[in-house]
Amino acid sequence: MSLRRFLAPLAAGLLLTTACGAAGGGQSDPGSPRPSEADAAAAAAELLADMSVEEKVGQLLVLTAAGTTAEENAELISEYHPGGFIYFPENLTDVEQITALSNGLQERAADDSGIPLFLGVDQEQGLVARLPVGARFPDAMAVGATRDPEAAASLASTTAAELAALGINLDYAPVADVNVNPDNPVIGIRSFGSDPELVGEMAAAEAAAFAEAGVVPVIKHFPGHGDTDVDSHTGLPTVTKSREEWERVDLPPFQAAVEAGADMIMTAHVFMPELDDSGEPSTLSENVITGILRDELGYDGVVTTDALNMEGVRQTHDDGEIAVRAVLAGADQLLMPPDPRTAYDAVLAAVQEDRITEERLDESVLRVLELKLRRGLFDAGPADAGQAAEVVGSADHTAAAQQVADASVTLLRNENGVLPLREGAAVRVTGSGADGIAAALRDLGYRTTDSAADADVTVVGTNGARGDAEQRAVVSDARSGGTPVVVVAQGTPYDIAALPGLDGYLAVYSSVDVSLTAAARVLAGEVNPSGRLPVDIPDTDLAFGDGLGY
């Protein structure tokens, strides 16, 4: 029987695993004992010694799952022996299907290489949430507005409990980027804010809670994606700030993560000439990954690339060369190569030709195996659909999400005490999220109307109005109606700079249901607005830390 199917008890007497084929590699008990770093390293070394070069190369690959069943991924597993899969909405339908998919994938991996899979997902919450089921929390910027690390921990522990119940053992979260560019097209409300200390504190709280609940957190996107004006999905952003400014603004959250022993850090497809003037994105930069992250900061955890199908990393090399260069730069996992065969063959050939030495390959595989051991993947049992149905989207989890949303609402304008709404006021609600806000107001006893003439107050929802003339026109039209106008901003709070003359302005930083409900509760005075701005707002008198109450 392969060593990878049964690990012998180690010197410390800790039984690390049962048969992978029996356990299924699904849901682990976060409270069960975990091997020490030394034990995990010893077990990983034994596993490595029993692996072929082909299997080692496979552990570097994290592939996009195909379809909704394990059978549809059987060939991917047998061909490439991957280290993991990432799920997207097209892979996921309901609790029963997701647990069956997770269990089936782990069973096939056990039969193939005997090594459990990382099964990951982008479940940041808010804007980036792939699951069709479960509690939905607001975005990270809302969490930053609470100023409460416990809110970050609540989001992560709740999310992790639901992921683990579904057999998902890794989350590509939290975002540790410091959003200092109001025009950032890809980070924005996915960031906790513009203050490095706040971002670092919140990211650390989330990462610790994920890990404690048995899900591997991935800190992203090193060396920082918060000051970009190009979406790296569609192009390569260039960040021209000095090394000194980068160290002051972008580095602190990642440095804190390294010092806390972060499980995994994701690279960014950004070009920072002051960190590496080669013209390569950081994902392919040996200076950034090995030179700065590993040698200068001392990080020895797993480094994963951002998705390799993004245009930000595909500007100057073919897909096979990109995979090779990422490994040479210091990456341990290659996320979502657009063509698994091309990436696998290119890396395998580079090893066989000694362009990537086997020693370098082994470094990455050992890191991956050690993390899987430390986080209990080898002793995980299969996900139970019945148990998952009780956990995922439970009343307690939904209440936790509502609590975070309520605490995040930030009141930035309240002229003439227009808020809270007087009892019995007629309210016209229009714009982004209007249906959700109106329904929540009706639940609180308010009458809503479609008529501006019949309204005592007009509430306009916005989401990115700063860059959307049509949304600004809706607000302007409401102001011309003669009734007080209150804006509920569901994207970044920067909208206020483009919306003069408002009577009231609430920032909720998210368009999820709990944020719309929280907005209504603050409008009605059921909740006292306690959120504080997590960013500075250019061209206004508003700054980090501002916020009004009742």
Side-chain angles (χ1 to χ4, degrees), residues 21 33 46 53 71-72 77 86 102 128 160 201 211 235 336 402 468 493:
E46 289 189 67
V53 171
E71 288 77 6
E72 292 169 277
I77 291 173
I86 181 171
S102 298
V128 179
E201 181 179 35
M336 297 171 60
Q402 189 64 63
D468 187 335

Side-chain angles (χ1 to χ4, degrees), residues 14 40 125 136-137 181 183 201 226 240 252 281 285 288 369 389 441 481:
L14 178 62
Q125 292 288 5
R136 190 76 175 271
F137 281 76
N181 187 337
D183 296 318
E201 181 179 35
T240 57
S285 169
V288 171
L369 295 175
L441 284 172

Side-chain angles (χ1 to χ4, degrees), residues 272-439:
M272 290 193 180
E274 292 302 312
L275 302 186
D276 180 356
D277 62 4
S278 68
E280 296 282 17
S282 295
T283 295
L284 306 183
S285 169
E286 185 176 4
N287 286 345
V288 171
I289 300 178
T290 299
I292 296 176
L293 182 56
R294 293 219 188 274
D295 295 344
E296 292 185 28
L297 301 182
Y299 183 63
D300 195 35
V302 175
V303 172
T304 178
T305 69
D306 203 344
L308 295 182
N309 64 355
M310 294 165 60
E311 290 305 312
V313 77
R314 304 176 77 192
Q315 301 291 304
T316 54
H317 309 288
D318 64 44
D319 291 333
E321 181 66 10
I322 287 167
V324 171
R325 287 185 179 235
V327 175
L328 290 172
D332 303 306
Q333 291 218 296
L334 306 173
L335 178 62
M336 297 171 60
D339 179 14
R341 172 56 62 192
T342 296
Y344 180 83
D345 286 351
V347 174
L348 181 60
V351 174
Q352 292 169 339
E353 295 163 6
D354 208 33
R355 183 180 174 195
I356 297 174
T357 65
E358 193 156 358
E359 179 183 15
R360 168 68 196 90
L361 176 64
D362 288 354
E363 288 175 0
S364 286
V365 178
L366 281 169
R367 290 189 188 103
V368 170
L369 295 175
E370 286 179 33
L371 181 54
K372 289 180 175 183
L373 286 157
R374 288 201 315 272
R375 291 296 170 220
L377 271 65
F378 281 85
D379 63 355
D384 184 299
Q387 292 177 7
E390 296 179 6
V391 171
V392 177
S394 69
D396 286 348
H397 288 183
T398 301
Q402 189 64 63
Q403 185 174 7
V404 172
D406 287 351
S408 74
V409 182
T410 308
L411 178 61
L412 296 176
R413 288 282 185 270
N414 193 16
E415 301 298 325
N416 302 314
V418 66
L419 297 176
L421 300 171
R422 67 172 175 82
E423 188 175 350
V427 187
R428 178 184 178 224
V429 187
T430 187
S432 296
D435 290 345
I437 297 170

